[in-house]
Amino acid sequence: MSHSPASPGSPDLRDCGGGGPAPAAGAPDRRGGPPEVLDRRTGPAGEVVLRRHGALLQIIVNGCFLMDTSDGRSERLLVRAALDELDRGAAPAAPRLLIGGLGVGFSLDEAAAQPRWGAITVVEREPAIIDWHRRGPLVEVSGRALADPRTRLVEADLLDHLRAPAPGAAERYDALCLDIDNGPHWTVTEGNGGLYSPAGLAACAARLNPGGVLAVWSAQPSPAFEDALRHSGYRGVRAEEIPVVRGVPDVVHLAVRPA
């Protein structure tokens, strides 16, 4: 996600720990005038709002300015870094990818643009976000990727999906790219914290093939989360930073399930 802080003129939005990229120096500000609410719905986790602010589309969950279409560098890196990490080992010819969180669609678009992925599953719990991609304004980001025959969109809570009994190897993945919060310590809803707990990390490992990669987006580095990954049995734990114009860098945490 482009997890930006609350936009100017939006005093009703709470700070959810995003510190995402601001427009680059010298770049035009694409947020002209007051934001326009395009849709507002109640979903499994509360209120979800889609706004247009100038040229940007923005998603807000329970008053938390979560993501927008201003800059997809870190979302795209999330997917590229997972594939690069797979290639450090014995990557399968057509690896299977799970993306946790559809967001504004940058991660999915990046995955579909890479022919290496054999199958792409996206798990999103908010029906409104799915609808905005299938029939709404966000089709401009994800339309090509959703039409890709490799893409499967699943409406479910990510932890529920991970814990569901897997009938066989076909339901396991070679990479899990998770971008459902502003990071392990800034969750959108309280229940999401379970994903980063020892039990949640074990559920991720159980759905990964041996040598598979877990990649987790975060709005800032988290040594404590890296320690949690190591204590959960992952190896090769490291972080890739994505510089932003202001604030601490975005981070992709990477870890490998032992073969």
Side-chain angles (χ1 to χ4, degrees), residues 4 6 106 163 167 172-173 230 246 255 257:
S4 303
F106 286 133
R163 290 170 174 163
R172 296 187 183 276
Y173 306 96
R230 294 186 184 96
R246 67 176 184 269
R257 177 188 169 178

Side-chain angles (χ1 to χ4, degrees), residues 40-64:
R40 184 190 304 272
R41 305 189 196 181
T42 300
E47 184 184 67
V48 187
V49 177
L50 178 66
R51 305 193 315 186
R52 187 182 297 279
H53 199 180
L56 303 181
L57 293 166
Q58 306 170 331
I59 296 177
I60 296 130
V61 179
N62 289 327
C64 172

Side-chain angles (χ1 to χ4, degrees), residues 24 35 56 71 87 92 95 105 113 117 125 132 158 163 175-176 210 213 237 256:
L56 303 181
D71 185 347
D87 285 340
W117 295 111
R125 72 180 176 185
W132 297 334
L158 180 59
R163 290 170 174 163
L176 306 184
V213 174
V237 176
V256 178

Side-chain angles (χ1 to χ4, degrees), residues 2-98:
S2 290
H3 307 251
S4 303
S7 300
S10 301
D12 55 317
L13 299 183
R14 60 190 178 91
D15 179 7
C16 303
D29 189 348
R30 301 167 63 196
R31 302 171 306 195
E36 173 192 4
V37 174
L38 302 179
D39 197 7
R40 184 190 304 272
R41 305 189 196 181
T42 300
E47 184 184 67
V48 187
V49 177
L50 178 66
R51 305 193 315 186
R52 187 182 297 279
H53 199 180
L56 303 181
L57 293 166
Q58 306 170 331
I59 296 177
I60 296 130
V61 179
N62 289 327
C64 172
F65 191 105
L66 188 62
M67 64 199 84
D68 66 20
T69 54
S70 63
D71 185 347
R73 287 176 299 162
S74 59
E75 299 95 316
R76 295 182 186 279
L77 177 63
L78 177 71
V79 175
R80 291 198 303 270
L83 186 57
D84 289 344
E85 191 67 31
L86 274 175
D87 285 340
R88 292 171 181 259
R96 299 173 55 86
L97 169 66
L98 180 144

Side-chain angles (χ1 to χ4, degrees), residues 5-257:
S7 300
S10 301
D12 55 317
L13 299 183
R14 60 190 178 91
D15 179 7
C16 303
D29 189 348
R30 301 167 63 196
R31 302 171 306 195
E36 173 192 4
V37 174
L38 302 179
D39 197 7
R40 184 190 304 272
R41 305 189 196 181
T42 300
E47 184 184 67
V48 187
V49 177
L50 178 66
R51 305 193 315 186
R52 187 182 297 279
H53 199 180
L56 303 181
L57 293 166
Q58 306 170 331
I59 296 177
I60 296 130
V61 179
N62 289 327
C64 172
F65 191 105
L66 188 62
M67 64 199 84
D68 66 20
T69 54
S70 63
D71 185 347
R73 287 176 299 162
S74 59
E75 299 95 316
R76 295 182 186 279
L77 177 63
L78 177 71
V79 175
R80 291 198 303 270
L83 186 57
D84 289 344
E85 191 67 31
L86 274 175
D87 285 340
R88 292 171 181 259
R96 299 173 55 86
L97 169 66
L98 180 144
I99 299 174
L102 179 55
V104 295
F106 286 133
S107 294
L108 171 59
D109 183 68
E110 178 68 26
Q114 171 52 259
R116 282 279 309 286
W117 295 111
I120 303 165
T121 298
V122 184
V123 176
E124 172 59 57
R125 72 180 176 185
E126 295 291 346
I129 292 178
I130 293 173
D131 193 42
W132 297 334
H133 279 275
R134 283 179 167 161
R135 289 171 287 274
L138 289 171
V139 72
E140 66 188 51
V141 178
S142 61
R144 177 189 64 173
L146 287 176
D148 192 304
R150 297 172 297 166
T151 299
R152 177 172 67 117
L153 190 53
V154 177
E155 181 184 322
D157 179 88
L158 180 59
L159 261 178
D160 290 344
H161 179 79
L162 291 172
R163 290 170 174 163
E171 288 298 317
R172 296 187 183 276
Y173 306 96
D174 300 294
L176 306 184
C177 291
L178 309 188
D179 186 10
I180 65 170
D181 294 297
N182 283 325
H185 308 298
W186 282 328
T187 57
V188 177
T189 59
E190 185 176 348
N192 284 3
L195 180 62
Y196 313 103
S197 69
L201 295 177
C204 290
R207 297 301 292 270
L208 280 169
N209 286 319
V213 174
L214 175 64
V216 180
W217 191 96
S218 179
Q220 69 176 26
S222 176
F225 182 58
E226 292 183 16
D227 287 342
L229 287 167
R230 294 186 184 96
H231 292 155
S232 296
Y234 291 89
R235 62 173 176 81
V237 176
R238 63 186 183 88
E240 288 198 14
E241 294 187 353
I242 307 97
V244 297
V245 173
R246 67 176 184 269
V248 297
D250 294 343
V251 169
V252 173
H253 292 286
L254 294 158
V256 178
R257 177 188 169 178

